[in-house]
Amino acid sequence: MKKVGTVLALLVLTIGLPSVASSSYRDEVIADNPVSLWRLGENSGLTAADDRGVNPGTYANGVVLGTSGAIWNDADRAATFDGVDDQLSVNHSTTLDATTGVTVEVWLKRSKSGVFQPLVGKPLNGQSRFENYSLWLNTSSRPVAFFGNQTTFVSVTGTTVMDTNWHHLAATYDNATARLYVDGVLNASATSTVQLTPNVDRLFIGRTNSGGFSFGGALDEAAVYRAALSATRIRAHYDSARTDAIAPAVTLTQPPNGSISTNTVPTFSGSAGLLGGDSATVTVKVYPGSTPTGTPVQTRPTTRQSNGSYSVAASPALADGTYTAQAEQRDDANNLGLSSANTFSVDTTPPTVTIDSSPSDPSNSTSANFTFSANESLGGFQCRLDGGSFTTCVSPKSYSG
């Protein structure tokens, strides 16, 4: 019997066909011709789409969808399992049966520990000899792979403890040697004469088929191939997932560039990047003057919302003056995304308006000419005569009649 404890982010079973170079994680996986690829990127619903269109899965018991994924610079999301009863099941199909070889590959981000946790397997029932293939975490949060023939089994246990960051696991078996890879590197191996034997049970992810053991954490990019992938291809998958030269796309829309306000605690808001690897933290820096240089007078970190929006207010209050605000966001590859630099002014002091010239007082003239000025640049003047209404005007202003 076995259990496992970590967050699963990617599962793959492989057939070991020729591969070609690719520019994205999904392309690297597809190049190895998976039987099925469950990206687990749904935002709602109960169906886990198979990217190959062959074996769709079904979410059950409240799997949380649309959480941050494992693959850097990828908009695809991940699924989070509660470690109690959440599961994903896929109906039996002979396409998912392995006989001459198999690879189980998975990204995981563990949130639970101290117990056996099932990641993926067919049928993933906790009885090792009946597992055509399966991946678990043991009570020490180390990965374990099992391959059975209905009577006995071979297993291989990794030496690396899975922490709560994203990790890549891959286990291969070719009816002779079982190998376990962690983050693209061979971690452990075992030889055996056990021959892979199919079954007619469903494939499960995140929970054993009859309950009892469950996984706590996030799962992403699950796939099945029916042959052992080479060490080179496994490394290529990992490397493609950790290649990111694109900075997060962060914007700053409030306060607008060139704006003037009497508000001494303006709110800074905009949108942040949501791709895999983009940090959830956005930091707004407020600089004195009209350029984002020197030492900020304020540094205001905040957390983006699920839709990418963010908002944070100045603190403490700003004094009258001109400032420049800029938002920044990093990703796991340490790329720095910068928003536009918005220059704005805080002005709480009313302007002084002076009538510079006017008719003598008193005067019996039926016409009058006034000139006037202000001590600062204004959006415009308004004038009124006697008890009339204020109307827009410019200097000089003449009245007659």
Side-chain angles (χ1 to χ4, degrees):
M1 183 171 290
K2 51 209 180 276
K3 314 170 185 175
V4 191
T6 292
V7 177
L8 167 62
L10 163 66
L11 158 68
V12 185
L13 291 135
T14 57
I15 299 182
L17 298 179
S19 60
V20 296
S22 175
S23 60
S24 72
Y25 180 80
R26 177 188 174 277
D27 290 341
E28 287 290 351
V29 171
I30 294 301
D32 289 319
N33 195 28
V35 170
S36 294
L37 168 61
W38 302 281
R39 302 209 69 193
L40 308 183
E42 290 78 20
N43 289 314
S44 62
L46 299 178
T47 299
D50 177 3
D51 191 81
R52 310 312 301 272
V54 179
N55 298 303
T58 302
Y59 296 109
N61 304 326
V63 178
V64 177
L65 305 179
T67 57
S68 296
I71 312 305
W72 288 358
N73 197 29
D74 192 321
D76 200 70
R77 304 285 87 191
T80 296
F81 294 68
D82 65 4
V84 178
D85 60 0
D86 289 357
Q87 71 177 33
L88 169 60
S89 63
V90 180
N91 288 337
H92 165 68
S93 167
T94 57
T95 62
L96 297 174
D97 290 336
T99 56
T100 60
V102 69
T103 299
V104 182
E105 184 179 29
V106 58
W107 282 95
L108 58 100
K109 186 178 183 183
R110 176 182 61 81
S111 62
K112 182 179 175 180
S113 62
V115 296
F116 277 99
Q117 298 184 75
L119 302 180
V120 60
K122 190 174 187 293
L124 202 63
N125 62 6
Q127 300 182 55
S128 304
R129 69 183 186 276
F130 294 125
E131 305 276 28
N132 190 191
Y133 47 81
S134 65
L135 260 177
W136 295 68
L137 293 179
N138 65 17
T139 57
S140 300
S141 297
R142 293 191 297 161
V144 187
F146 298 88
F147 308 97
N149 66 2
Q150 307 291 315
T151 301
T152 187
F153 64 92
V154 57
S155 67
V156 57
T157 301
T159 60
T160 302
V161 174
M162 300 290 96
D163 61 21
T164 54
N165 296 311
W166 283 109
H167 290 285
H168 177 257
L169 294 182
T172 72
Y173 187 57
D174 57 5
N175 285 337
T177 304
R179 295 179 175 89
L180 186 63
Y181 299 81
V182 176
D183 292 338
V185 178
L186 180 64
N187 189 259
S189 63
T191 59
S192 174
T193 59
V194 168
Q195 301 296 293
L196 291 164
T197 302
N199 55 60
V200 295
D201 297 309
R202 289 181 291 171
L203 179 145
F204 281 82
I205 297 175
R207 186 177 184 229
T208 50
N209 61 353
S210 58
F213 301 116
S214 59
F215 171 74
L219 312 177
D220 201 5
E221 308 291 342
V224 173
Y225 309 66
R226 292 183 300 178
L229 283 183
S230 69
T232 299
R233 292 307 304 150
I234 290 171
R235 182 70 195 198
H237 288 192
Y238 175 78
D239 287 345
S240 67
R242 287 297 181 259
T243 299
D244 183 2
I246 301 176
V250 58
T251 69
L252 178 67
T253 55
Q254 294 293 331
N257 187 50
S259 61
I260 301 174
S261 174
T262 60
N263 184 8
T264 60
V265 286
T267 295
F268 307 102
S269 62
S271 63
L274 283 171
L275 296 181
D278 288 353
S279 173
T281 299
V282 178
T283 301
V284 177
K285 294 181 178 179
V286 183
Y287 299 85
S290 57
T291 59
T293 56
T295 302
V297 296
Q298 289 191 12
T299 299
R300 303 290 293 137
T302 187
T303 301
R304 72 181 181 200
Q305 301 300 305
S306 59
N307 64 357
S309 65
Y310 70 88
S311 178
V312 63
S315 180
L318 296 172
D320 282 11
T322 298
Y323 301 92
T324 298
Q326 189 168 44
E328 61 182 48
Q329 179 188 19
R330 291 190 180 272
D331 60 23
D332 288 344
N334 207 35
N335 297 306
L336 177 63
L338 293 173
S339 74
S340 59
N342 291 6
T343 298
F344 66 98
S345 295
V346 175
D347 186 358
T348 61
T349 303
T352 299
V353 180
T354 303
I355 296 180
D356 299 314
S357 65
S358 62
S360 59
D361 181 18
S363 171
N364 61 2
S365 173
T366 59
S367 63
N369 188 63
F370 298 88
T371 62
F372 41 87
S373 60
N375 65 337
E376 59 182 272
S377 177
L378 301 176
F381 290 95
Q382 289 190 325
C383 303
R384 73 177 180 181
L385 183 64
D386 296 331
S389 300
F390 278 107
T391 59
T392 300
C393 60
V394 294
S395 178
K397 173 65 176 177
S398 297
Y399 293 92
S400 62

